[in-house]
Amino acid sequence: MNLKDLRIKAHLTQEQTSKLTGLSIKFISDMENGRRNPSDKAKIKLAKAYRVKPVDIFEACQRTKCSVIQT
């Protein structure tokens, strides 16, 4: 699963995720599309919001390729 899949599985919109994590909607969108590199702290926030293990977020980032900033 990628980041978007995890968010959808948690039945959350980007707006709801933003409210739960304090991350902007744009940042969440950019992460889901591989354009932004979330910090480990942001990944932990996402794990809590999506009710998954942090390792699931780290693996999803690898699949989304958000661990590499794209230009």
Side-chain angles (χ1 to χ4, degrees):
M1 284 193 182
N2 61 31
L3 287 174
K4 184 175 181 179
D5 294 335
L6 289 174
R7 177 177 56 77
I8 291 169
K9 186 176 179 184
H11 304 286
L12 294 172
T13 64
Q14 288 182 347
E15 183 177 359
Q16 291 166 323
T17 300
S18 175
K19 288 178 183 176
L20 288 170
T21 62
L23 303 170
S24 74
I25 295 170
K26 171 120 174 70
F27 186 75
I28 293 164
S29 174
D30 286 348
M31 284 188 301
E32 289 182 356
N33 290 295
R35 292 187 298 261
R36 294 294 299 267
N37 181 23
S39 67
D40 289 349
K41 187 176 179 180
K43 290 173 186 174
I44 299 298
K45 289 179 180 183
L46 290 169
K48 288 179 182 178
Y50 298 164
R51 290 173 246 116
V52 298
K53 296 179 214 168
V55 70
D56 295 333
I57 298 295
F58 284 81
E59 289 174 356
C61 280
Q62 291 294 340
R63 288 185 191 97
T64 308
K65 303 202 185 321
C66 60
S67 60
V68 178
I69 298 175
Q70 299 177 359
T71 57

